[in-house]
Amino acid sequence: MHAIEKLLAAKAGVDRVHAGQIVNCDVDVAGINDLYYQTVKSFVEMGGQRVKHPDDVLIFFDHYAPCATVIQAEDHKKFRQFAHEQGIANLMDVNQGVCHQVVVDRGLAKPGEIVVITDSHSTMHGALGAFGTGVGATDLATILITGKLWFKVPEVIKITLTGHLHPGVYAKDVILHILGDLKADHGIYKAIEFAGPALKDMTISERLALCNMTTEMGAATSYIQPDDRTRNFLKAKGVTDYTVYTTDEDYHYQEEITYDVGQIGPQVAAPADVDNVHDLSDYQGVHVDQAYIGSCTGGRLQDFATAAKILKGHHIALDTRLIIVPASGEVTRECIARGYIQDLLDAGATLSPSGCAACIGIHQGLIAADEVCMSTSNRNFPGRMGSLKGQIYLASPAATATAALTGQITDPRDYVEAE
């Protein structure tokens, strides 16, 4: 069996499972974000009276953080009331940040556990050996009532990464390259496992970026086999109580693919599809109205460290604005402590509260018709960050910071190497 199958079997209380089988599993972490008040409505409509395991439930105020409309404020108010009535102590208020980063910050995503959140990018938690997946309101309401949810055991695609990343090239470039090669429908309801020697050089932050964007190829979940880097990351958070499963040597993958990361340069996903990926050099010189560093894909400490190194002592281009949105309150505080935020503010950046912000196209950095935004986020379809006629390019934090500096799409490698 694959490690994912062993995990699901353990949570279902059975000895073995296989791809295609439906299993009913205990859920360790159940998260509701503020887009999904429908979850509470469904809970009531389905006859729910008391949440089965309130200590395992988190409510995140991240998409509307802080609220931009009265309707959003009303939803937050009702969520607060529900949390109080049900004894849900883990209400992550508007100062906490994006659900996925908050879960990682708090050490709640860990090997051998199931993390289910009403957000498609829940695949991110596979970077830490968890089974992370996103669901809708009715499924999450089912977890609230029963503590369990059914899953179809996925087939697994193994992507082996070899070689070494060159300076100025990051995990974001790797996952964009993979998406451009395999396309957005390649992994529909599959599990994507990343393996290979190149992973040893990748930080947890970079692994999280890899697994986060497996959603964009339709994956149900992702997986990276926990290693010493994983264990050390969790140990630093005081987390040692978890189970690591391993894949049997005779397991048969649905597909195996290999990429040499040393052959990958800076990438961009050009408008208006996440799999419309090209070498960044193909778009060099395109004017950038807004550079955006943030989201659950590209708003972590390492991302801001990279941006600050490029921009420290400089100023962004005259006709370009830079919006920075740390993925969580913890990331914000750490960036402040290390001076990254000050360096970026001095360079002309605008700091927004932690949350999903413009990545969800609701507030805090929307773009107008015919404006170009270069972003560290994960989606670039029309209207994702404002006007349907806006153009969004997805890229690494280094490429995004460099675009802010020069006012146009620019190869970041010279700027990174110069640092």
Side-chain angles (χ1 to χ4, degrees):
M1 288 195 297
H2 191 276
I4 290 174
E5 294 176 337
K6 293 178 180 180
L7 188 164
L8 292 175
K11 296 301 178 181
V14 298
D15 292 332
R16 297 186 64 83
V17 301
H18 58 80
Q21 182 178 348
I22 303 296
V23 291
N24 202 37
C25 298
D26 292 327
V27 174
D28 299 288
V29 177
I32 315 166
N33 67 38
D34 49 359
L35 282 180
Y36 279 86
Y37 185 71
Q38 180 59 47
T39 303
V40 177
K41 293 181 180 179
S42 296
F43 174 82
V44 174
E45 291 165 0
M46 294 163 63
Q49 296 183 351
R50 300 299 304 173
V51 171
K52 180 77 170 180
H53 300 302
D55 290 344
D56 297 336
V57 177
L58 295 92
I59 296 174
F60 303 97
F61 292 169
D62 56 358
H63 288 69
Y64 306 147
C67 295
T69 70
V70 174
I71 292 175
Q72 294 169 8
E74 291 290 348
D75 277 355
H76 278 198
K77 180 181 178 181
K78 289 183 286 188
F79 263 125
R80 295 178 201 279
Q81 182 178 353
F82 179 76
H84 178 73
E85 292 171 350
Q86 295 292 333
I88 299 172
N90 293 316
L91 190 149
M92 304 294 107
D93 219 315
V94 295
N95 64 329
Q96 293 296 306
V98 184
C99 56
H100 305 303
Q101 188 61 37
V102 174
V103 167
V104 170
D105 289 346
R106 290 173 172 258
L108 298 176
K110 51 189 176 180
E113 303 217 333
I114 294 178
V115 179
V116 181
I117 303 174
T118 56
D119 190 277
S120 59
H121 291 101
S122 302
T123 55
M124 186 178 95
H125 303 293
L128 294 167
F131 181 90
T133 196
V135 300
T138 304
D139 283 333
L140 208 291
T142 300
I143 299 173
L144 295 183
I145 295 170
T146 68
K148 299 176 178 288
L149 189 64
W150 68 271
F151 300 96
K152 180 181 177 181
V153 180
E155 295 178 309
V156 184
I157 297 172
K158 184 178 183 180
I159 297 178
T160 300
L161 303 177
T162 64
H164 299 278
L165 289 171
H166 293 292
V169 183
Y170 302 86
K172 180 66 173 290
D173 297 301
V174 174
I175 190 61
L176 286 178
H177 178 80
I178 292 170
L179 279 162
D181 183 43
L182 300 182
K183 302 304 178 184
D185 60 352
H186 193 86
I188 293 177
Y189 210 87
K190 302 292 196 299
I192 307 296
E193 177 184 357
F194 293 103
L199 280 177
K200 296 185 184 298
D201 297 331
M202 291 188 184
T203 64
I204 294 298
S205 179
E206 291 181 292
R207 295 179 185 188
L208 290 167
L210 280 179
C211 290
N212 178 286
M213 288 195 69
T214 59
T215 296
E216 310 312 327
M217 63 178 77
T221 194
S222 68
Y223 188 74
I224 293 176
Q225 183 64 38
D227 58 9
D228 286 343
R229 192 181 289 272
T230 314
R231 286 184 279 272
N232 291 337
F233 178 82
L234 293 170
K235 184 177 180 180
K237 296 182 177 299
V239 177
T240 56
D241 57 331
Y242 51 80
T243 301
V244 175
Y245 297 99
T246 57
T247 300
D248 296 333
E249 291 185 4
D250 61 352
Y251 176 77
H252 179 70
Y253 288 92
Q254 193 267 332
E255 185 178 11
E256 296 191 51
I257 308 165
T258 299
Y259 293 95
D260 179 353
V261 302
Q263 299 300 312
I264 299 173
Q267 306 284 292
V268 293
D273 293 293
V274 71
D275 58 4
N276 183 24
V277 178
H278 302 264
D279 288 339
L280 180 144
S281 58
D282 292 348
Y283 290 88
Q284 189 146 328
V286 172
H287 173 72
V288 174
D289 297 287
Q290 175 171 292
Y292 183 92
I293 301 175
S295 82
C296 56
T297 308
R300 279 176 279 279
L301 180 68
Q302 182 178 344
D303 303 318
F304 289 102
T306 297
K309 286 179 182 177
I310 292 170
L311 288 166
K312 184 176 182 178
H314 303 287
H315 200 279
I316 61 175
L318 179 63
D319 294 325
T320 302
R321 55 194 182 271
L322 171 60
I323 311 296
I324 56 173
V325 189
S328 70
E330 181 172 314
V331 171
T332 301
R333 289 187 291 274
E334 187 64 24
C335 284
I336 290 172
R338 298 191 184 202
Y340 303 151
I341 295 296
Q342 189 63 56
D343 290 338
L344 292 169
L345 292 176
D346 289 345
T350 299
L351 174 64
S352 287
S354 298
C356 299
C359 180
I360 193 61
I362 292 175
H363 58 172
Q364 296 174 344
L366 305 189
I367 59 174
D370 301 320
E371 284 196 313
V372 172
C373 179
M374 197 159 190
S375 175
T376 65
S377 57
N378 44 54
R379 288 179 178 158
N380 64 342
F381 53 76
R384 176 67 180 187
M385 298 182 74
S387 171
L388 288 169
K389 295 182 179 180
Q391 299 180 57
I392 305 166
Y393 291 81
L394 305 178
S396 72
T400 304
T402 304
L405 177 64
T406 65
Q408 59 187 12
I409 295 178
T410 305
D411 192 318
R413 286 175 289 192
D414 291 339
Y415 294 85
V416 170
E417 290 171 352
E419 292 294 325

